[in-house]
Amino acid sequence: MKKGLKESIIFKVNSAHPQLEKIKNAANVIKQGGLVAFPTETVYGLGADGLNIKACSRIFSVKKRPANVPLILHIACKKHLFDLAKKIPREAKDLIDRFWPGPLTLVLPKSRIIPQIVTGGLDTVAIRMPNNPIALKLIKYAQTPIAAPSANLFRGHSPTCAQHVIDDLNGNVDIILDGGKTSLGIESTVLDLTVKPFKILRLGGIIEKDLRKILGKAKLADNRKKIKCPTNNFHPSVCSPGKMILVEKTKDQTSKMQELALQFRMSGKKVGVMATKENKNKFNGCVVKVIGSEKDLNTCALNLFSTLRSFSRENIDVLIAQGFKRKDIGLTIMNRLQKNIKKGSP
Ligand code: TXA
Ligand code: MG
């Protein structure tokens, strides 16, 4: 496949019943070493043949991603796990029986067939079976594991629809399979099975509680303490452009948010507020966007990245984000918001 195409080819695909001609076309591109962006149930992936060194190196250059951040290999059939990983613990079987296809990525010792470029030089590999008919058919017809990070530029927000992929990567990927909005909107949970107790490396679509139900309490390290909220004690006058403030879920959360919004507005800043539906009318003079209802955090997770992306087009000086209770999917959302603060942009 040629590099530097002017525009990517975009195929609209029916996500429940993918048109085979389009899938086979995209699978051939993968076989020839090209790049295909495709939907999974979590976010869109930027896919290449996971056993082709050159194709995988293109993923890193297109994403502008450092070579030491490893890729996830996507498979369409559970038994392929045994070709790609070794020393697979007994518990892995219970996990894949329960959660695959689905948003759980397992880290295991890698087999020799996997090129070093995929694992960023590590001797472990991350593998998952996505729960999306387009993704599964693409992998099946490509007849190879597909290496795929989220299809966004490095440090950007993961894409939850084809337009996000176009915004970030148009022209640098050969084909974009547009299967509409993804169903979860947040990435997979990454679980390291090479350490004891097993360790969650990234919170995602599968929550800790559900992993514990399968693994038993003692088998999983307690991750919660690591996922702390940053302090939000800075003053409006030291606010740099594009800064985000995450306001914790407390009884006085709304009034704290209102107070901050007012302070920033008084100091001449353009203020964005990412709020729940219940709070949307409480911030006069601000650019308010609704992430979802407080009563439905799964929808808030689904809308998180697209809402953050839409703020980055608003030219705001500061974003005040309404935080959520650190429990289940709420904890995952808080973790992503926290990462966003570290990135320093809305
Ligand atoms: O939902 C998802 O997981 C999406 C879709 C496309 O499948 N993919 C995704 O990939 O989010 P990416 O590359 O954006 O994030 C993969 C994460 C990274 O944080 C990476 O460090 C971690 O998985 N990872 C990959 N291989 C690893 C390994 N061998 N050991 C530890 N962490 C690993
Ligand atoms: Mg990513």
Side-chain angles (χ1 to χ4, degrees):
M1 278 293 127
K2 268 189 284 166
K3 268 188 187 174
L5 298 173
K6 276 216 174 88
E7 301 240 318
S8 303
I9 296 166
I10 300 163
F11 287 153
K12 282 224 180 273
V13 187
N14 182 312
S15 58
H17 305 286
Q19 298 89 327
L20 275 192
E21 275 321 297
K22 293 177 183 175
I23 299 287
K24 284 182 181 171
N25 208 318
N28 276 333
V29 167
I30 296 274
K31 281 183 177 177
Q32 290 162 38
L35 296 185
V36 174
F38 62 98
T40 77
E41 80 281 30
T42 58
V43 299
Y44 274 70
L46 172 61
D49 178 351
L51 304 180
N52 177 332
I53 297 174
K54 246 177 133 178
C56 290
S57 74
R58 231 183 115 195
I59 291 181
F60 287 92
S61 63
V62 157
K63 259 187 82 93
K64 301 190 185 2
R65 167 149 155 167
N68 63 352
V69 186
L71 306 174
I72 296 174
L73 287 182
H74 295 69
I75 56 177
C77 180
K78 290 178 187 174
K79 69 174 194 285
H80 288 154
L81 176 70
F82 299 90
D83 305 328
L84 303 174
K86 47 186 198 182
K87 293 188 204 146
I88 300 169
R90 191 175 36 83
E91 291 86 347
K93 187 176 176 307
D94 302 332
L95 289 168
I96 67 178
D97 281 349
R98 170 67 184 81
F99 296 114
W100 280 10
L104 177 66
T105 296
L106 299 179
V107 173
L108 290 158
K110 83 177 195 67
S111 80
R112 278 208 300 207
I113 63 166
I114 301 167
Q116 289 283 329
I117 188 161
V118 168
T119 63
L122 297 174
D123 52 13
T124 58
V125 61
I127 302 170
R128 89 175 187 98
M129 181 175 172
N131 188 12
N132 176 293
I134 298 174
L136 290 171
K137 288 228 152 60
L138 178 69
I139 303 163
K140 181 178 160 201
Y141 284 101
Q143 294 174 304
T144 187
I146 294 188
S150 50
N152 52 282
L153 291 169
F154 185 60
R155 292 197 187 287
H157 303 298
S158 292
T160 55
C161 64
Q163 187 58 49
H164 297 162
V165 182
I166 296 167
D167 293 344
D168 279 14
L169 303 176
N170 194 14
N172 288 325
V173 27
D174 300 299
I175 292 184
I176 299 172
L177 296 176
D178 179 353
K181 269 176 98 169
T182 63
S183 52
L184 288 175
I186 221 146
E187 305 90 340
S188 62
T189 295
V190 180
L191 180 67
D192 188 349
L193 296 183
T194 68
V195 291
K196 288 253 169 90
F198 305 137
K199 194 170 167 194
I200 295 175
L201 301 180
R202 179 179 71 184
L203 283 169
I206 302 290
I207 56 174
E208 192 170 327
K209 189 169 74 184
D210 290 339
L211 290 176
R212 279 190 201 285
K213 275 187 206 152
I214 301 294
L215 292 173
K217 220 174 169 200
K219 296 252 166 81
L220 190 60
D222 192 345
N223 244 50
R224 276 162 298 188
K225 288 178 208 102
K226 271 181 65 187
I227 301 155
K228 281 188 299 203
C229 194
T231 47
N232 282 308
N233 54 358
F234 61 89
H235 192 266
S237 61
V238 297
C239 175
S240 60
K243 198 89 193 172
M244 187 178 106
I245 304 178
L246 175 58
V247 181
E248 283 283 342
K249 173 86 188 144
T250 53
K251 274 194 188 131
D252 58 350
Q253 182 187 40
T254 306
S255 58
K256 267 192 189 154
M257 289 170 71
Q258 286 172 318
E259 204 178 300
L260 276 165
L262 187 65
Q263 277 179 4
F264 282 117
R265 280 185 51 225
M266 304 256 285
S267 57
K269 306 268 196 249
K270 184 171 176 189
V271 181
V273 179
M274 185 161 77
T276 55
K277 189 175 96 185
E278 291 78 4
N279 262 354
K280 70 173 182 193
N281 294 323
K282 296 180 181 162
F283 305 97
N284 289 334
C286 301
V287 180
V288 181
K289 291 185 193 280
V290 173
I291 181 171
S293 166
E294 227 158 298
K295 297 185 194 98
D296 178 8
L297 294 198
N298 287 325
T299 304
C300 294
L302 175 60
N303 294 332
L304 176 67
F305 291 133
S306 58
T307 312
L308 287 169
R309 273 180 184 257
S310 68
F311 271 118
S312 56
R313 290 190 291 269
E314 295 283 355
N315 221 7
I316 51 172
D317 298 308
V318 60
L319 174 62
I320 299 170
Q322 182 171 345
F324 296 91
K325 199 167 167 197
R326 283 148 191 291
K327 195 171 170 260
D328 302 340
I329 199 74
L331 184 61
T332 306
I333 300 174
M334 288 299 272
N335 169 265
R336 295 301 187 280
L337 285 168
Q338 190 172 333
K339 279 191 184 161
N340 198 63
I341 290 178
K342 279 198 189 140
K343 280 187 228 159
S345 65

